[in-house]
Amino acid sequence: MRHIFLYFLTLTMFTGCKKEEQGSGPRIDIYLLKSFTTMVDKSTMPATISITNAVLDDTPLVSDQDIKVYVKATTTFVLSKDIQTVIQHYSSDKAFAITVDNQPVYYGVFHPLYLSSITFGLATISPLLLNNNELRIDFPTIEGNSFLQQLDNRNDSRIINALKTTNRLR
């Protein structure tokens, strides 16, 4: 009788500690935009750029299952695949969206490091990656500018919570 009790106690403990699997819970995907409009707001200091009228591509550039981890401190997605060859020639005429369950959380543009312009108000990805499986997303800001800091959604709670759910947040 004692062995049966211990068996059921052990079974109950392990079924209660079920870890969320990747693929269950919210999905994070990175989409290219088929079309979009950029707007410049010159009333802000500095002038900021935003994306409107965005239409997501039919399939994600990076799908949820391609994301191994997200490093919050560096806003870097570590991927299970190499996307360098796909994005290496992208420039600011290509834009992307980070989505949670197909709902855009924020938009950005590809911005090669050789361009001298700064895109305040938009997240950026340099198409020439340092590591082929790490996708770092930058956001140009000015220290002490609270307006720009409010526009930075790279660590939005929807993204962070989705990554926590699937144990991919670092």
Side-chain angles (χ1 to χ4, degrees), residues 65-95:
Q65 64 265 19
D66 298 328
I67 300 171
K68 290 169 54 174
V69 298
Y70 177 72
V71 182
K72 183 178 177 181
T74 61
T75 59
T76 302
F77 288 96
V78 179
L79 308 175
S80 62
K81 70 177 190 176
D82 173 10
I83 65 166
Q84 176 76 46
T85 55
V86 176
I87 69 170
Q88 66 185 347
H89 298 295
Y90 286 1
S91 192
S92 56
D93 62 334
K94 292 272 191 188

Side-chain angles (χ1 to χ4, degrees), residues 5-73:
F5 174 74
L6 288 175
Y7 172 75
F8 282 115
L9 180 63
T10 305
L11 184 64
T12 304
M13 285 177 43
F14 285 115
T15 57
C17 298
K18 185 177 178 183
K19 180 180 150 185
E20 287 287 334
E21 301 274 334
Q22 186 174 343
S24 65
R27 289 183 47 86
I28 296 176
D29 297 300
I30 303 172
Y31 283 89
L32 289 177
L33 300 182
K34 281 185 192 179
S35 63
F36 63 96
T37 306
T38 55
M39 303 287 292
V40 178
D41 185 352
K42 293 182 181 180
S43 69
T44 62
M45 266 321 244
T48 55
I49 301 170
S50 61
I51 289 179
T52 60
N53 304 319
V55 177
L56 300 179
D57 208 354
D58 296 330
T59 58
L61 172 67
V62 176
S63 62
D64 187 71
Q65 64 265 19
D66 298 328
I67 300 171
K68 290 169 54 174
V69 298
Y70 177 72
V71 182
K72 183 178 177 181

Side-chain angles (χ1 to χ4, degrees), residues 130-144:
L130 296 176
N131 291 322
N132 292 357
N133 69 333
E134 291 185 0
L135 185 62
R136 181 182 169 123
I137 301 180
D138 294 309
F139 188 88
T141 190
I142 298 171
E143 189 172 325

